[in-house]
Amino acid sequence: FRRVVIGGAAPPPDRPANVIATYGMTETGSGVVYERRPIDGVSLRIATPDPAGHGELEVAGPMLLRAYRTLDDPAGRDPKVDGWFATGDLGTIDAEGVLQVFGRAGDVIVSGGEKVWPARVEPLLDRHSKVGRAMIVGRPHPEWGHEVVARVEPADPADPPTLDELRDWVKADLPAWYAPRSLELVDALPTTSLGKLRRG
């Protein structure tokens, strides 16, 4: 294939050159950001960014839905505010207009006052030779608020990774607070019908 377009999850870091990553959702009518840059006519902004520039991604443009409609509300409810749609995704936009999405706002784990985006840790863990697939979740902790927990399908159940191995692996690329504090080995992680990790 000359081009393969992917979306719906964080793109793999080792994808071939002909594989194009896109970002979009049902409300945008398909992908509106390709290779982290919006297409013509699409505007992006970060609502109320923190000092590091992180915040909820909002999108505007002619492709947006007009309203959510139900049988009980046929007139529909317009979710936009002044033409901007709040995506529920957290990310940053740099000075060149390049988008980085960290994941869903509801997935963020706050541990010891630091924010941990599972979407940044999971692809990293998935590249470990002893990991088949990984999912990062938050568990209540009396001191830190939540602790970062790695739920892992071992690549070889007879030789699973250790917590120390995974912590060292993560800390080689990310700040120490992203490293899991606990490890749960599982036979299979829960997924949706589309193969995405099921967090709920």
Side-chain angles (χ1 to χ4, degrees):
F1 295 98
R2 287 177 294 174
R3 294 287 185 272
V4 177
V5 177
I6 61 172
D14 56 350
R15 55 195 163 97
N18 68 324
V19 176
I20 308 300
T22 183
Y23 171 83
M25 58 200 66
T26 301
E27 290 86 350
T28 63
S30 191
V32 294
V33 177
Y34 287 78
E35 292 301 328
R36 300 170 59 189
R37 293 182 180 275
I39 61 176
D40 290 345
V42 173
S43 298
L44 304 176
R45 72 181 183 186
I46 300 297
T48 58
D50 65 16
H54 301 149
E56 184 176 7
L57 173 64
E58 295 184 342
V59 60
M63 73 296 152
L64 282 173
L65 80 168
R66 288 194 295 273
Y68 292 116
R69 292 187 171 89
T70 66
L71 293 176
D72 296 330
D73 183 16
R77 176 183 63 84
D78 186 351
K80 301 183 295 296
V81 177
D82 295 328
W84 290 91
F85 174 74
T87 66
D89 290 322
L90 296 177
T92 60
I93 302 171
D94 70 14
E96 304 298 321
V98 176
L99 171 68
Q100 182 174 6
V101 177
F102 298 129
R104 300 293 293 167
D107 294 342
V108 173
I109 302 164
V110 179
S111 181
E114 300 289 356
K115 293 179 181 177
V116 175
W117 284 272
R120 295 190 69 187
V121 188
E122 289 163 351
L124 188 58
L125 290 178
D126 286 345
R127 295 200 298 272
H128 193 284
S129 62
K130 292 187 177 183
V131 173
R133 192 170 189 185
M135 178 169 66
I136 294 294
V137 298
R139 298 269 193 259
H141 190 278
E143 181 179 355
W144 303 317
H146 288 85
E147 71 173 353
V148 179
V149 178
R151 304 193 73 215
V152 172
E153 295 176 17
D156 178 0
D159 184 26
T162 67
L163 177 60
D164 286 341
E165 286 175 327
L166 297 184
R167 283 182 56 79
D168 289 344
W169 182 260
V170 171
K171 287 191 290 186
D173 282 73
L174 294 172
W177 61 82
Y178 276 88
R181 292 279 183 173
S182 298
L183 171 63
E184 299 174 1
L185 299 175
V186 298
D187 293 332
L189 292 169
T191 60
T192 67
S193 59
L194 296 176
K196 295 182 183 180
L197 293 172
R198 187 189 302 277
R199 301 183 188 280

